[in-house]
Amino acid sequence: MSTPLALATRTPLEDAHAQLAAAVAHLGYGEGLHRMLATARRELTVSVPLRRDDGSVAVYVGHRVQHNLSRGPAKGGLRFSPAVDLDEVRALAMWMTWKCALVDVPYGGAKGGIAIDPRAHSTAELERVTRRYTSEILPIIGPDIDIPAPDIGTDEQTMAWMMDTYSVNVGHTVPGVVTGKPISLGGSLGRASSTSRGVAHVSILALRHRRIRVDQATAVVQGFGKVGRDAARFLAEAGIRVQAVSDVDGAVYSTTGLDVPALIRHAERTGSVVGFPDAEPLDPAELLLLDVDLLVPAAIEGVITAENASRVKARVIVEGANGPTTQDADAILAERDVFVVPDILANSGGVIVSYFEWVQANQAYRWTEDEVTLRLSERITAAWNAVLAYAERRSLTLRQAATALAVERVTEAHRLRGLYP
Ligand code: NAD
């Protein structure tokens, strides 16, 4: 299955559709099935009016897209970002379907978002926005219907407000309606760092696969939020020299390796990595092009493009973010033998532990952190082995293999259930 270079994709949704089309072609599926897999089952767009702290009223637009429900209730994050639009949410929902199938958790895929800049709002305003959005989408969420989780611009506090709003509306406490909750409300031990732990785990497997010594490896991480921060920390703990990190405000660099725990404290104190005293400032665009063993994009979509892919010097790319590599960049990287571990495998630690959190909520029984960490590493290693074997058997890239394997599993569920009526 080759990815045609002529296919100049630009948006995450075009990338997602191109990846699906390649998988469908490889699997030999017909047009009707392709259309089923390409189309979201449900899409809800709502307006979210907000009374601002100064008494004025603003109106935001929010979405919830449930891409596929064949394997179970829908599952996916909620994003607060000015860049959110319906097509972006559609792409992210489709990727969630493949991710859940790939790591074999019993969910379909969903995503939600509000086009809002959370940094421009007070905590009280964010609470009101979250509660209003939750009540607007209430009819289509629930522990057996669709279970949101944190994503860009949202966190465990956002999930606590969602859980409370849902619970007040249905008249009893329902911890299983969201994951990524605070521990004291039934959140899972190990959930907050689970995506990052998975990214680091897969990074080590990928470096070893490429015969790069982990204790001599160098890395850079783009994005220093919930995923990037702990990914950098776990990589450093594994003995990898993290030479540069960036956030939306800028980047910092040190040839000898950044002191990641000190950098985390600096970012917590100041709100950014910029100005970290023990490092040099760096042009954030240069971070992607540094000569390192491992590049972890952990910020937003579409950062590795046809424009810069030929200048990326990293040997291994592990996608902490969803959709950081465009389809045409992917083809360039494959041609240059850069080893790319795709998002739906690399950042699946989050949804794996979200599943554990949901199981614990449904059982009303808490697991220990060691149990969570062990089961996470077992599941993500199993997915890694399955994708690697599938790719080698069929001469595919890891992304092509991961997508095709996931599409196959979703299709099997769909076929067994049949088409109603
Ligand atoms: P976050 O809001 O906690 O952090 C995002 C980080 O990216 C911030 O440091 C921000 O400053 C930075 N950023 C934004 N634009 C940037 C740019 N242009 N250049 C460099 N940095 C930039 O979000 P998060 O939860 O860490 O999510 C990051 C990515 O990981 C997203 O693609 C998300 O969908 C994906 N993801 C998150 C989870 C999760 O559990 N949170 C799970 C799977 C995938």
Side-chain angles (χ1 to χ4, degrees), residues 79-80 92 96 99 111 118-119 149-155 191-192 194-196 199 221-229 246-250 271-273 284 287 297-301 303 319-324 343 346-351 354:
R79 177 173 293 195
F80 285 0
L92 291 161
M96 281 307 297
K99 192 183 301 180
K111 203 79 181 192
R119 301 220 290 184
D151 191 75
I152 291 179
T154 59
D155 58 17
R191 168 63 183 91
S194 57
T195 308
S196 318
V199 166
V221 179
Q222 182 194 44
F224 210 58
K226 293 184 295 299
V227 178
R229 222 172 258 211
S246 66
D247 62 22
V248 72
D249 298 317
S272 172
V273 298
L287 175 136
I300 53 172
E301 301 98 50
V303 293
E319 295 183 337
N322 287 308
D343 44 12
N347 68 34
S348 63
V351 81
S354 272

Side-chain angles (χ1 to χ4, degrees), residues 8-145:
T9 52
R10 285 176 311 278
T11 69
L13 187 59
E14 286 171 326
D15 287 336
H17 278 296
Q19 289 156 7
L20 172 63
V24 163
H26 177 74
L27 295 166
Y29 293 168
E31 187 48 38
L33 181 55
H34 185 178
R35 211 164 290 152
M36 285 281 305
L37 294 165
T39 311
R41 287 291 304 275
R42 281 193 196 124
E43 299 182 344
L44 180 59
T45 293
V46 295
S47 71
V48 188
L50 165 71
R51 187 174 307 286
R52 301 218 48 179
D53 294 341
D54 66 5
S56 64
V57 172
V59 181
Y60 298 102
V61 176
H63 310 280
R64 186 74 190 170
V65 172
Q66 295 168 355
H67 169 256
N68 192 286
L69 310 170
S70 293
R71 290 172 42 89
K75 185 89 190 81
L78 169 63
R79 177 173 293 195
F80 285 0
S81 154
V84 162
D85 65 21
L86 182 55
D87 275 355
E88 182 191 57
V89 179
R90 283 176 172 144
L92 291 161
M94 185 187 288
W95 285 326
M96 281 307 297
T97 299
W98 313 144
K99 192 183 301 180
C100 292
L102 189 67
V103 295
D104 200 17
V105 291
Y107 297 131
K111 203 79 181 192
I114 304 179
I116 186 173
D117 179 1
R119 301 220 290 184
H121 291 274
S122 68
T123 304
E125 288 178 345
L126 291 175
E127 174 172 358
R128 291 198 288 279
V129 161
T130 304
R131 289 187 182 278
R132 180 61 186 250
Y133 169 78
T134 306
S135 65
E136 294 290 344
I137 64 162
L138 205 87
I140 64 161
I141 60 169
D144 301 318
I145 306 170

Side-chain angles (χ1 to χ4, degrees), residues 260-294:
V260 178
L263 181 56
I264 290 176
R265 286 194 297 277
H266 171 85
E268 276 167 359
R269 208 170 48 244
T270 66
S272 172
V273 298
V274 173
F276 181 55
D278 301 324
E280 304 293 318
L282 175 76
D283 174 356
E286 288 300 311
L287 175 136
L288 298 171
L289 311 178
L290 289 178
D291 187 3
V292 287
D293 296 304
L294 173 67

